[in-house]
Amino acid sequence: MERRSGVALWRQIADRIRHELREGLANQEDRLPPEMELAVRFGVNRHTVRAAIRSLIDEGILRAEQGRGTFVQSRPKLAYPIRRRTRFSEGLSGQARKARGILLAHDYLPAAKSVAEQLGLNAGAQILRLETLSFADGWPVSRAISHFDAARFEGLERHFEETGSITASFKRMGLEDYTRRETSITAQHAETADLEHLKLSPGAIVLITQAVNVDGEGKPVQYSLTRFAADRVELQVDGREI
């Protein structure tokens, strides 16, 4: 453990446990080693291990059973496909009974140069910015910041509040279909807003997609940055469409 890194030891331990779960830290019953054993393993005291375990329980990765110990939570990862027609609800079909988004915030503002370029607009053009949170069976799995040409999609936020779906909102505004022009994928540690909205603990990893969707004429209709909880979602690129 890095004791002078500026990162609390319990956060470092939580990150190590999260990583070592993939390497077989738990036994065949999905039970973690006792707290004292973990304390010796990581060279910290039992209270530090307990704080780390508590954060992972709050995050939904672990569960505690009275008198039995701490176990890996058996919630399977969701497989989210990245393809020409990437849709949140359709992508989770068969994996979640209910998939829906909620609107966290929205505003109309002049487009920064980088956003304007992605949308094919002039810098400073008016855009609509939506911040949304998506759930699968009531569990938060991703949060996104999406940008739209305000001249074309003014009022889209109202449709999204009612439908919980970008696709349904587009249809209400006359855009029947759209496709994914490009997607890039990166990963990083969760930010403060991720911890709050995705119910993650410090040290958690998020997968980030940067994407541009276009209409049938190839004109950009949406530029988005979406952050997925890596412990809940795996991104699958459909090689048939590459």
Side-chain angles (χ1 to χ4, degrees):
M1 296 297 102
E2 297 291 335
R3 297 179 183 274
R4 297 182 181 179
S5 67
V7 179
L9 283 177
W10 69 265
R11 293 184 179 180
Q12 296 183 53
I13 296 298
D15 207 19
R16 286 282 297 275
I17 291 175
R18 187 186 292 108
H19 173 75
E20 293 194 17
L21 285 174
R22 296 191 290 269
E23 307 297 323
L25 177 63
N27 65 16
Q28 292 182 344
E29 297 178 343
D30 284 337
R31 181 165 54 193
L32 261 64
E35 290 179 358
M36 280 305 301
E37 183 177 327
L38 291 173
V40 172
R41 181 189 188 115
F42 297 124
V44 297
N45 62 49
R46 185 173 180 177
H47 296 294
T48 302
V49 169
R50 188 170 295 167
I53 288 174
R54 171 50 56 187
S55 73
L56 295 174
I57 290 173
D58 291 343
E59 191 175 328
I61 295 173
L62 302 176
R63 73 178 189 279
E65 295 188 12
Q66 186 68 32
R68 296 195 64 216
T70 305
F71 295 79
V72 179
Q73 185 68 277
S74 59
R75 178 182 286 117
K77 276 190 178 184
L78 298 168
Y80 186 75
I82 304 296
R83 53 197 181 197
R84 287 190 71 242
R85 285 180 171 80
T86 297
R87 311 287 191 262
F88 182 73
S89 296
E90 290 180 14
L92 299 183
S93 178
Q95 303 177 77
R97 292 183 300 276
K98 184 177 181 181
R100 182 179 173 86
I102 64 170
L103 182 64
L104 297 176
H106 81 279
D107 51 7
Y108 287 86
L109 70 164
K113 182 180 178 181
S114 59
V115 174
E117 288 176 350
Q118 296 290 351
L119 289 175
L121 303 173
N122 295 323
Q126 194 79 350
I127 62 168
L128 166 61
R129 178 183 180 275
L130 298 188
E131 183 176 356
T132 58
L133 185 63
S134 294
F135 294 82
D137 292 336
W139 194 246
V141 294
S142 67
R143 73 179 188 94
I145 295 177
S146 298
H147 309 83
F148 310 85
D149 179 1
R152 183 174 182 181
F153 295 110
E154 182 178 2
L156 184 141
E157 74 279 1
R158 297 193 297 272
H159 297 299
F160 185 85
E161 280 189 297
E162 295 175 3
T163 66
S165 165
I166 294 293
T167 300
S169 300
F170 274 153
K171 286 184 177 180
R172 284 188 173 191
M173 302 193 75
L175 179 60
E176 291 295 326
D177 192 25
Y178 61 96
T179 57
R180 180 66 56 91
R181 186 180 74 186
E182 60 188 62
T183 304
S184 64
I185 303 173
T186 56
Q188 69 177 52
H189 283 91
E191 298 177 348
T192 301
D194 299 321
L195 305 183
E196 175 186 356
H197 294 300
L198 296 177
K199 308 302 181 185
L200 302 175
S201 62
I205 300 297
V206 292
L207 303 175
I208 305 167
T209 63
Q210 178 175 296
V212 176
N213 290 323
V214 297
D215 62 17
E217 297 178 352
K219 185 174 182 179
V221 295
Q222 179 186 10
Y223 166 57
S224 62
L225 292 168
T226 306
R227 306 170 70 85
F228 295 87
D231 286 315
R232 299 172 198 157
V233 179
E234 61 181 27
L235 303 178
Q236 296 184 344
V237 179
D238 192 337
R240 295 168 299 180
E241 299 188 358
I242 294 177

